[in-house]
Amino acid sequence: MSNSTTGEIQSTPVSAVDWEPPVPPTNLIFDDGEPLESNRHRIAMNALIRSMLVAMANRRDYFVGGNMFIYYSSQQIRNRDFRGPDFFVVLNVDGESEREGWVVWEENGRYPDVIIELMSPSTAAIDIGVKKDIYEQTFRTPDYYVFNPFEPESLQGWRLDWERGYQELNPNPQGWLWCQRLGLWLGTWEGTIEDKPGIWLRFYDQQGNLVLLPEEAAFREGALQQLLRLLAVRFGQVPVEVETRLRTQDIHQLEGLVEVVLEVESLEEFINQLS
C-alpha cells in the first residue's frame, strides 16, 4: 500500500530477532585498516552522521555509525567478512553506550533501521548486489539507499515490504527520497562542507527544510539572535509569534532580513515584509 503524501510502501514493523551464537566470540576485529574510497566519501559520511545530532537532538534512544563493522552471524565471522555500512542508524536502543562496532547478539538481535552506502565505481556492484541482498534478506533493514558522492544523479533507495522484499522508492519533484523510519527526506544539496564545495547527500525535514550540521545550526542561531536584538533595539519587545516565524527562516533569509529591519519604519511593516 502506498502513502499518498510520500509514496513509500507500507511494511510490517521489524521486530527484534531472538538469536545469538551458541558461544559468542570475544576476539572480534573492529578495524580493518582500510580508509574510505576518497576524502569526498569521508566528508559525505561524516556530514550524514553529524546531521543526526541535530535531527535527533531531543532523543537519546538511537545509535548512528559509519564505516563500522556489523557482526551478525558466526559464518560471517569465520569468513572474515567484516566491512560494515558507510552510514547506519538503529532506533529505540541505548544511545549512551560506547560501541566499537555493532554486534547483533549483544544488542538483543537488533539490526539497522536505515542504511546508506556511499558508492564508488569499485563498490557499486556490491552495494546494489550482495550487500543489498544481505540488508534485505538477513538484516531486514526497512530503508536502504545508495549514493555516489561524485555523481549527483546517482541516489537510489528501497523500502522493505515484508512479503515482497525491497521495493524501489520514487523521488519527489525535487528528486528526494522519503525515509520512513527517520521521518526525513534524503536528497542532494549544493554547498560547501569542510571547505569543499560540491553536491552532497543531506537530510531534509517533512516541510523540506535542510537538516543542519551542528556548526550550521550554531551559525544560524547566532544570526537569529543578532536579528532579534536588532528588532528589539529598533521597535521594542519582539512578539513570540514573530520569533517563531523567524525560526523557520534559513541562514540566507535571516541575513537578508537584517537589511529589511534597517529599512522599515515599524514592526508592522517588518512583519508585512516577512510575509
Side-chain angles (χ1 to χ4, degrees), residues 40-90:
R40 185 172 291 272
H41 282 78
R42 179 192 63 80
I43 294 172
M45 180 191 73
N46 287 338
L48 291 169
I49 292 173
R50 290 189 294 118
S51 67
M52 285 294 98
L53 301 176
V54 176
M56 302 285 195
N58 297 323
R59 297 183 60 167
R60 294 294 181 269
D61 62 340
Y62 75 96
F63 179 80
V64 58
N67 197 32
M68 176 182 285
F69 295 155
I70 295 180
Y71 284 101
Y72 60 92
S73 76
S74 56
Q75 179 181 1
Q76 171 212 13
I77 296 168
R78 288 195 300 271
N79 294 339
R80 301 185 66 82
D81 180 16
F82 300 139
R83 200 62 179 269
D86 293 318
F87 170 91
F88 69 94
V89 178
V90 190

Side-chain angles (χ1 to χ4, degrees), residues 119-148:
M119 298 187 301
S120 68
S122 65
T123 68
I126 295 174
D127 292 333
I128 62 177
V130 174
K131 280 193 171 184
K132 179 170 170 281
D133 290 342
I134 291 173
Y135 301 154
E136 175 188 48
Q137 299 167 19
T138 302
F139 286 22
R140 305 297 280 173
T141 292
D143 295 301
Y144 176 50
Y145 307 87
V146 295
F147 179 74
N148 185 334

Side-chain angles (χ1 to χ4, degrees), residues 17-25 72-74 104-109:
V17 177
D18 185 15
W19 173 90
E20 65 179 15
V23 181
Y72 60 92
S73 76
S74 56
V104 169
W105 56 88
E106 293 179 357
E107 303 287 351
N108 297 316

Side-chain angles (χ1 to χ4, degrees), residues 199-216:
I199 297 178
W200 305 97
L201 190 63
R202 300 288 298 269
F203 288 107
Y204 296 84
D205 66 19
Q206 294 187 36
Q207 290 71 43
N209 301 306
L210 181 69
V211 175
L212 302 178
L213 301 174
E215 63 271 22
E216 293 172 332

Side-chain angles (χ1 to χ4, degrees), residues 244-255:
T244 300
R245 291 176 62 182
L246 289 176
R247 288 190 176 278
T248 65
Q249 310 294 304
D250 64 30
I251 182 63
H252 301 295
Q253 292 170 320
L254 291 172
E255 291 174 339

